[in-house]
Amino acid sequence: MAKFQSLKDAVAENLNDGDIVAFEGFTHLIPHAAAHEAIRQDRKNLTLVRMTPDVVYDQMIGMGMVDKIIFSYAGNPGVGLLRRMRDAIENNWPKALEIEEHSHAAMANAYEAGAAGLPCAVFRGYKGAGLKDVNDNIREITCPFTGEKLAAVPSVRPDVTFIHAQKANKRGDILIEGIIGVQKEAVLAAKRAVVTVEEVVDDFEDVHVNACILPRWAVSSVCVVEGGAHPSYAHGYYVRDNAAYVEWDKIASDRTLFREWMQINVLDVDENIFVARINTLKGAA
Amino acid sequence: MAKFQSLKDAVAENLNDGDIVAFEGFTHLIPHAAAHEAIRQDRKNLTLVRMTPDVVYDQMIGMGMVDKIIFSYAGNPGVGLLRRMRDAIENNWPKALEIEEHSHAAMANAYEAGAAGLPCAVFRGYKGAGLKDVNDNIREITCPFTGEKLAAVPSVRPDVTFIHAQKANKRGDILIEGIIGVQKEAVLAAKRAVVTVEEVVDDFEDVHVNACILPRWAVSSVCVVEGGAHPSYAHGYYVRDNAAYVEWDKIASDRTLFREWMQINVLDVDENIFVARINTLKGAA
Amino acid sequence: MDAPFTPDEMMTIAASRALGNDDICFVGIGAPSAACNVARLTHAPDITLIYESGTIGTAPDILPLSIGDGELCDTAVTTVSVPEMFRYWLQGGRVSVGFLGAAQLDKFGNINTTVIGDYNSPTIRLPGGGGAPEIASSCGEIFITMKQTLRGMVEAVDFFTSFGHGLGGSDRADLGISTKGPTLLITDLAVWRPDPTTKEFVVQSLHPGVTQDMVQATCGWVVRFADDLSVTEVPTALELKTLRDLKARTEAAHSGEAA
Amino acid sequence: MDAPFTPDEMMTIAASRALGNDDICFVGIGAPSAACNVARLTHAPDITLIYESGTIGTAPDILPLSIGDGELCDTAVTTVSVPEMFRYWLQGGRVSVGFLGAAQLDKFGNINTTVIGDYNSPTIRLPGGGGAPEIASSCGEIFITMKQTLRGMVEAVDFFTSFGHGLGGSDRADLGISTKGPTLLITDLAVWRPDPTTKEFVVQSLHPGVTQDMVQATCGWVVRFADDLSVTEVPTALELKTLRDLKARTEAAHSGEAA
């Protein structure tokens, strides 16, 4: 049952060293503030899961918090590569990173199967693709009616999922609108779920009957963090900070520069900094 | 690509003798007008598919159009049994009816798998249930990671699906709101799809970004039939005609009475009758 | 002095008491729906009611005639597709209580709503299982409510529409089902719970004015009564008023009048 | 007299011409996105553009920087979840054309965006496949667009991120893949189509001013040229204006100014 609490408390209560954790968001609504709090609390030995690990996962990997990553596309969207993640894979800096790599279809199906309480996802995929030769978690299953060979991957079942959403109501129900990605699945697949929101409203009376709403009993914690997705965006609130993504490419290109930036912009601040970061990005949304 | 046409033409072009056909609707938005047109056009040897066959399937079975039915709950909702379907199963009147019976979970998954282009659906179900002993289309599949035995059923892939929806826009995109059931899946699982709608509007500009919309290229025909779900209902347009469902129980209880009613209310009329049937049911919706 | 009440009212109210404020309840139609909504309107205002039509967290002002009435959607927290309902919410293990009715029931909580007689040439073809087979296996526990009759409560069901405790004992766990299964049966005469070991339903309390003979006379198996058999608490004035108001509003709405 | 244009513009415009009004096109980011939107803004106004973020039938006024930009959702017919996108729309066989870019490409249309070097100890770790492995197998056919370089167009890809025609011939069908795979490659220098039998890409037309030597000098395999090799039609004034306006609006929007 959702409880309203500070982001600090929510991370402290829900994220443990060694957890399998998803900070989900598909370009839209990426929970940057929550990830930064996890960095401040210095969690270790995490297994990160996400279809599209981008800047926040680059940051967590660069800070040495991550043992393993399960993913399907690791890039800085519209900019290029993830330099901290590359440094970990190519040079073991700051430590070695184990990877379990899938396609988007596999990951989307794996989250879906996790939400559905199933041990594995079954789909038509990986035909001729090289990943099935380097990932033992890609297997075959045979249709008992047609004999067709289908792909199977284990479902994703995180210990905890973090997402950012537009609104909670006073009861703690969560509203997600726009590009909804795999957030509903990531929450329902997880044992615990923490949601940061732009704002809390009285009720969802005026919301569409079929909108993407997570009832309060499907989430553990709700934390109000205005701007908490920055430099990602929140449909209806603020636009994507493309300049910040471009800037990240420079910051991440140098180990020292990276550490200095993290000290100033993450370690020495708290989530209240986010509201100022979206000041110039409102209105256009 | 959706073409706007008369219901008569849409049924003539899309429904053939011997087809596997779904007239889907989960209490809400049941395509009664389309089913009545199929009855008037006297299609034969159909295999009907539906989670909740109710009055329209009772009518089609009673008219001798149906060889087989694939279903998970055959009742007159809130009233009782389906007397024409019972008469076919228990007494072969007017002819024998083959049944393939599933649970709701299996049927919902089978439509989902059909929409997803898969040959079968995989889920956790039928544990201890008697249906798997009488239905050879309920089989087992083993998770290649955990060894858990899961249930598998063939996907549903109708030749044609008929649904009723609230609105089309001028391009032919379809909007479904409220209890959306398995209609999206039934349309996407089918080779062809015919949609009757309450009305055509200019565009869907004011519709929620994540509303259930079928793009025009996912449907074959769009037919305007105001009231076309009666005695089912259309959220936002008119309420359910509960009295008609109760009345059906009496009509269907007698073979002669049934045939007389069908003659007067289906065979001797056309779909233009539906608008009058909802006259007293508007407003409350 | 307590108001008089019918056995049917006692059944519904006793059933409503079994539900808690934090329950996520998958509601069958008929008696379960009335009980769940009485609970919501009395002691469990925050209970989440889910109907298989996809309506989550619904709070109908009147009882639906079917599981897909518009009232359910109008008052729901959200309405999802039926595949999502069965995959994420039911199979996903999010439902604490499944509330079912039964056409035929045996002493181990196995339910038949499929056929009377042989499956392939039935005496009576019933509607079938609908959501029940997976409600019975996926919900944390199952409550059952039905009126007692010799035809309904039988030594052995003609068909296992949904699995309760099988032939008792560890049958359920032996099939790999990890949920509790039927933990409560509420009839118009009594409240029953399964024996912890044999899983046979045992009468825990008789509704006011009901005798052991009355229970046995309307039950097709030899009834076991608990050693500490008690009397079901009579409906309170609030419970009765809530149920009757709900039924009156429902009657008015379904006959087309303003509620 | 025709306006001057860059090779990049020629590439995008030539690619846009391959798309028809009735196509349902799954759009990769970068060059494919520009080509698809130029098609929509010129000869194919009713084309359906789908991005893997779940946006169906989108009509962005500016080019998205990522596949999940808000502009895509704002202008879409509808936006669905990512699991639905991959299950119902891609795997369901609803997409006629998948449009992909490539970091590495071989002459049989196999694409690598995963690693340069060995998978387990790569020289360069690239972003990975994202949607590409199943786009490549599920769409009716695949169009590829990329700028020619010796590093990019190689004799053999380091990793089969997405499968084209394998080692050519019937390799694709032999794997049980029923879709056509790569049917078109458009570079900044030429338009290529696979040989019907060997499936090796063959240059069909050279962009204006481009020589066979220029194509070979920037391609890592021995290039085959069609017997009836032609010259790609130069961009029309409308095509150029449409592309340049689109890029200008995009530039203005992404640098924070009003478009």
Side-chain angles (χ1 to χ4, degrees):
Chain A
M1 196 62 65
K3 57 179 170 183
F4 287 91
Q5 59 185 164
S6 73
L7 180 58
K8 191 172 174 180
D9 291 346
V11 170
E13 284 180 23
N14 289 287
L15 181 63
N16 306 310
D17 287 354
D19 271 355
I20 300 171
V21 54
F23 294 81
E24 263 299 345
F26 203 92
T27 309
H28 182 213
L29 291 174
I30 298 168
H32 276 259
H36 285 187
E37 182 58 34
I39 293 170
R40 279 190 292 274
Q41 295 193 21
D42 198 26
R43 286 296 180 283
K44 294 295 187 195
N45 304 116
L46 300 176
T47 292
L48 297 182
V49 189
R50 190 157 149 220
M51 293 187 66
T52 55
D54 61 0
V55 170
V56 278
Y57 278 23
D58 213 30
Q59 293 171 349
M60 295 172 86
I61 291 166
M63 295 300 279
M65 302 162 66
V66 187
D67 284 358
K68 179 180 176 181
I69 184 166
I70 302 172
F71 73 104
S72 45
Y73 186 89
N76 182 343
V79 180
L81 304 170
L82 293 180
R83 297 180 184 279
R84 292 297 95 227
M85 183 169 164
R86 276 187 62 185
D87 207 9
I89 295 174
E90 297 170 11
N91 309 307
N92 295 338
W93 192 93
K95 54 186 262 189
L97 178 67
E98 184 187 350
I99 64 171
E100 179 179 332
E101 184 171 4
H102 289 280
S103 67
H104 273 355
M107 287 291 287
N109 276 287
Y111 272 118
E112 202 274 347
L118 293 173
C120 65
V122 177
F123 64 108
R124 184 182 293 111
Y126 287 125
K127 297 221 170 185
L131 279 178
K132 64 182 184 310
D133 302 325
V134 296
N135 180 348
D136 183 51
N137 270 340
I138 301 169
R139 299 189 188 170
E140 272 190 350
I141 198 165
T142 304
C143 170
F145 303 99
T146 63
E148 181 180 352
K149 305 268 187 202
L150 298 166
V153 294
S155 58
V156 168
R157 305 298 300 263
D159 293 303
V160 54
T161 287
F162 291 84
I163 66 166
H164 186 74
Q166 278 102 339
K167 292 179 176 70
N169 65 21
K170 284 186 171 170
R171 293 158 50 92
D173 304 319
I174 303 296
L175 173 66
I176 310 170
E177 296 180 301
I179 291 177
I180 54 179
V182 290
Q183 280 97 306
K184 178 187 260 191
E185 288 76 14
V187 164
L188 295 180
K191 296 191 187 86
R192 304 179 296 279
V194 176
V195 185
T196 55
V197 296
E198 290 294 324
E199 63 172 332
V200 177
V201 298
D202 285 347
D203 57 55
F204 289 161
E205 285 298 314
D206 56 346
V207 172
H208 189 268
V209 290
N210 304 121
C212 181
I213 291 175
L214 289 163
R216 70 195 189 289
W217 41 270
V219 303
S220 314
S221 294
V222 180
C223 316
V224 180
V225 184
E226 193 182 343
H230 178 274
S232 170
Y233 70 104
H235 186 100
Y237 289 83
Y238 49 92
V239 297
R240 193 165 181 267
D241 188 350
N242 288 319
Y245 281 94
V246 173
E247 188 196 5
W248 181 252
D249 197 52
K250 284 179 230 133
I251 296 159
S253 68
D254 181 271
R255 292 175 186 173
T256 306
L257 194 58
F258 161 72
R259 288 204 157 154
E260 285 171 2
W261 192 94
M262 292 301 290
Q263 188 67 45
I264 295 166
N265 293 284
V266 179
L267 297 176
D268 290 347
V269 296
D270 64 24
E271 75 273 17
N272 294 311
I273 201 80
F274 277 85
V275 63
R277 289 180 178 162
I278 59 163
N279 255 341
T280 60
L281 302 165
K282 296 181 195 173
Chain B
M1 197 62 65
K3 57 180 169 182
F4 287 90
Q5 59 185 166
S6 73
L7 180 59
K8 192 173 173 180
D9 290 347
V11 170
E13 284 180 22
N14 289 288
L15 181 64
N16 306 310
D17 287 353
D19 271 356
I20 300 171
V21 53
F23 294 81
E24 263 300 343
F26 203 92
T27 309
H28 183 212
L29 291 174
I30 297 167
H32 276 258
H36 284 187
E37 182 57 33
I39 292 170
R40 278 190 293 274
Q41 295 194 20
D42 199 25
R43 287 296 180 283
K44 294 295 186 195
N45 304 116
L46 300 176
T47 292
L48 297 182
V49 188
R50 191 158 149 219
M51 293 187 67
T52 54
D54 59 2
V55 170
V56 277
Y57 278 24
D58 213 30
Q59 293 171 350
M60 295 172 86
I61 291 166
M63 296 300 279
M65 302 163 66
V66 187
D67 284 358
K68 180 179 174 180
I69 184 166
I70 301 173
F71 73 104
S72 46
Y73 186 90
N76 182 342
V79 179
L81 304 170
L82 292 180
R83 296 180 185 279
R84 292 297 93 226
M85 182 169 166
R86 276 187 62 185
D87 207 10
I89 295 174
E90 297 170 11
N91 309 306
N92 295 338
W93 192 94
K95 56 186 260 188
L97 178 68
E98 184 187 350
I99 64 171
E100 179 179 333
E101 185 171 3
H102 288 281
S103 67
H104 274 356
M107 288 291 287
N109 276 287
Y111 272 117
E112 202 274 347
L118 292 173
C120 64
V122 177
F123 64 108
R124 184 181 293 112
Y126 286 126
K127 298 221 170 183
L131 279 178
K132 66 181 183 310
D133 301 325
V134 296
N135 181 347
D136 183 50
N137 270 340
I138 301 169
R139 299 188 188 169
E140 272 190 350
I141 198 164
T142 304
C143 170
F145 302 98
T146 64
E148 181 181 352
K149 305 269 188 201
L150 298 165
V153 295
S155 59
V156 168
R157 305 298 300 263
D159 293 304
V160 53
T161 287
F162 291 84
I163 66 165
H164 186 74
Q166 278 102 339
K167 291 179 176 69
N169 65 21
K170 284 185 171 170
R171 293 158 53 91
D173 304 318
I174 303 296
L175 173 67
I176 310 171
E177 297 180 300
I179 290 177
I180 55 180
V182 290
Q183 278 99 306
K184 178 186 262 190
E185 288 76 14
V187 164
L188 296 179
K191 296 192 186 87
R192 303 179 296 278
V194 176
V195 185
T196 55
V197 295
E198 290 294 323
E199 63 172 333
V200 177
V201 297
D202 285 348
D203 58 55
F204 290 161
E205 285 299 315
D206 55 346
V207 172
H208 189 268
V209 290
N210 304 120
C212 180
I213 291 175
L214 288 164
R216 68 196 190 288
W217 42 270
V219 304
S220 315
S221 295
V222 181
C223 315
V224 180
V225 185
E226 192 182 343
H230 177 274
S232 171
Y233 70 103
H235 187 100
Y237 289 82
Y238 48 93
V239 297
R240 193 165 183 265
D241 188 350
N242 288 319
Y245 281 94
V246 172
E247 188 195 5
W248 180 254
D249 197 51
K250 283 179 232 135
I251 296 158
S253 68
D254 180 272
R255 292 174 185 172
T256 307
L257 194 59
F258 162 71
R259 287 202 157 154
E260 284 170 3
W261 192 93
M262 293 301 291
Q263 188 67 44
I264 295 167
N265 294 283
V266 179
L267 297 177
D268 290 347
V269 297
D270 64 24
E271 74 273 16
N272 295 310
I273 200 80
F274 277 85
V275 64
R277 289 180 179 162
I278 59 162
N279 255 341
T280 60
L281 302 164
K282 296 181 195 172
Chain C
M1 206 186 88
D2 296 312
F5 52 88
T6 67
D8 198 65
E9 287 172 337
M10 183 70 253
M11 173 171 75
T12 300
I13 287 166
S16 78
R17 291 172 183 159
L19 294 164
N21 208 28
D22 290 339
D23 272 322
I24 314 297
C25 181
F26 209 102
V27 189
I29 211 61
S33 185
C36 294
N37 281 287
V38 169
R40 182 178 60 79
L41 294 166
T42 56
H43 65 280
D46 287 333
I47 190 172
T48 294
L49 303 183
I50 294 179
Y51 288 73
E52 63 197 12
S53 54
T55 50
I56 296 177
T58 186
D61 192 50
I62 58 170
L63 293 175
L65 193 70
S66 81
I67 44 74
D69 279 18
E71 174 84 357
L72 296 173
C73 177
D74 288 335
T75 61
V77 171
T78 188
T79 298
V80 302
S81 76
V82 166
E84 177 179 327
M85 173 54 68
F86 280 94
R87 284 180 73 82
Y88 292 180
W89 302 94
L90 183 61
Q91 184 178 265
R94 296 270 162 190
V95 180
S96 61
V97 176
F99 218 134
L100 296 172
Q104 252 191 359
L105 177 79
D106 69 21
K107 62 184 167 187
F108 294 116
N110 304 300
I111 290 174
N112 173 24
T113 58
T114 302
V115 288
I116 304 297
D118 178 64
Y119 182 79
N120 289 308
S121 51
T123 314
I124 301 177
R125 175 63 227 196
L126 299 168
E134 283 77 20
I135 292 173
S137 59
S138 293
C139 297
E141 60 188 317
I142 297 295
F143 298 168
I144 300 167
T145 180
M146 70 183 295
K147 286 193 200 186
Q148 294 200 197
T149 65
L150 286 173
R151 275 173 45 174
M153 296 174 77
V154 297
E155 183 63 35
V157 290
D158 289 12
F159 192 87
F160 275 64
T161 305
S162 56
F163 193 81
H165 296 289
L167 300 180
S170 63
D171 256 22
R172 190 174 171 90
D174 294 348
L175 277 177
I177 310 175
S178 58
T179 51
K180 287 184 195 164
T183 56
L184 183 65
L185 165 64
I186 291 152
T187 68
D188 50 339
L189 303 183
V191 175
W192 315 52
R193 290 190 182 277
D195 177 282
T197 306
T198 68
K199 305 295 181 178
E200 179 187 345
F201 276 127
V202 177
V203 175
Q204 302 297 317
S205 73
L206 298 171
H207 297 338
V210 173
T211 65
Q212 295 192 22
D213 283 351
M214 289 163 70
V215 173
Q216 183 63 75
T218 51
C219 180
W221 68 77
V222 177
V223 179
R224 274 185 57 193
F225 296 90
D227 294 340
D228 56 345
L229 185 66
S230 61
V231 175
T232 313
E233 213 177 306
V234 298
T236 66
L238 174 65
E239 285 170 335
L240 268 181
K241 178 170 171 28
T242 301
L243 174 58
R244 288 171 182 175
D245 287 354
L246 180 63
K247 294 232 167 182
R249 286 197 301 275
T250 300
E251 184 89 5
H254 288 169
S255 62
E257 306 158 30
Chain D
M1 206 186 90
D2 296 311
F5 52 88
T6 67
D8 198 64
E9 287 173 336
M10 182 71 252
M11 172 171 75
T12 299
I13 287 166
S16 78
R17 291 171 183 160
L19 294 165
N21 208 28
D22 289 341
D23 273 322
I24 314 298
C25 181
F26 210 102
V27 189
I29 211 63
S33 185
C36 294
N37 281 287
V38 168
R40 181 177 62 79
L41 293 166
T42 55
H43 66 281
D46 287 334
I47 190 172
T48 294
L49 304 183
I50 294 179
Y51 288 73
E52 63 196 12
S53 54
T55 50
I56 296 177
T58 185
D61 192 50
I62 58 170
L63 293 175
L65 193 71
S66 80
I67 45 75
D69 277 19
E71 174 84 357
L72 296 174
C73 176
D74 287 336
T75 62
V77 171
T78 188
T79 298
V80 302
S81 75
V82 166
E84 178 178 328
M85 173 54 68
F86 281 94
R87 285 181 73 81
Y88 293 179
W89 302 94
L90 183 62
Q91 183 178 264
R94 298 269 162 191
V95 180
S96 60
V97 176
F99 218 133
L100 295 172
Q104 250 191 2
L105 177 80
D106 68 22
K107 63 183 168 188
F108 295 116
N110 305 299
I111 291 174
N112 173 24
T113 58
T114 303
V115 288
I116 304 297
D118 178 64
Y119 183 79
N120 290 308
S121 52
T123 314
I124 301 176
R125 174 64 226 196
L126 298 167
E134 283 77 20
I135 292 172
S137 58
S138 294
C139 295
E141 60 188 317
I142 297 296
F143 298 169
I144 301 167
T145 180
M146 69 184 294
K147 286 193 200 186
Q148 294 200 197
T149 65
L150 287 172
R151 274 174 45 174
M153 296 174 76
V154 297
E155 182 65 34
V157 291
D158 289 12
F159 193 88
F160 275 66
T161 303
S162 56
F163 193 81
H165 297 289
L167 300 181
S170 63
D171 256 21
R172 189 174 171 90
D174 294 348
L175 277 178
I177 310 176
S178 58
T179 51
K180 287 183 195 165
T183 56
L184 184 65
L185 164 64
I186 291 151
T187 68
D188 50 338
L189 302 182
V191 175
W192 315 52
R193 290 190 182 276
D195 177 282
T197 306
T198 68
K199 306 295 182 180
E200 178 186 346
F201 276 127
V202 178
V203 175
Q204 303 296 317
S205 72
L206 297 170
H207 297 338
V210 173
T211 64
Q212 295 191 25
D213 284 351
M214 288 164 70
V215 172
Q216 182 63 75
T218 51
C219 180
W221 66 79
V222 178
V223 179
R224 276 184 56 194
F225 296 89
D227 295 339
D228 56 346
L229 187 65
S230 62
V231 175
T232 313
E233 213 176 306
V234 298
T236 66
L238 174 65
E239 286 170 333
L240 268 182
K241 178 171 170 26
T242 301
L243 174 58
R244 287 172 182 174
D245 287 355
L246 180 63
K247 295 232 169 183
R249 286 197 302 275
T250 301
E251 185 88 6
H254 287 170
S255 63
E257 306 158 28

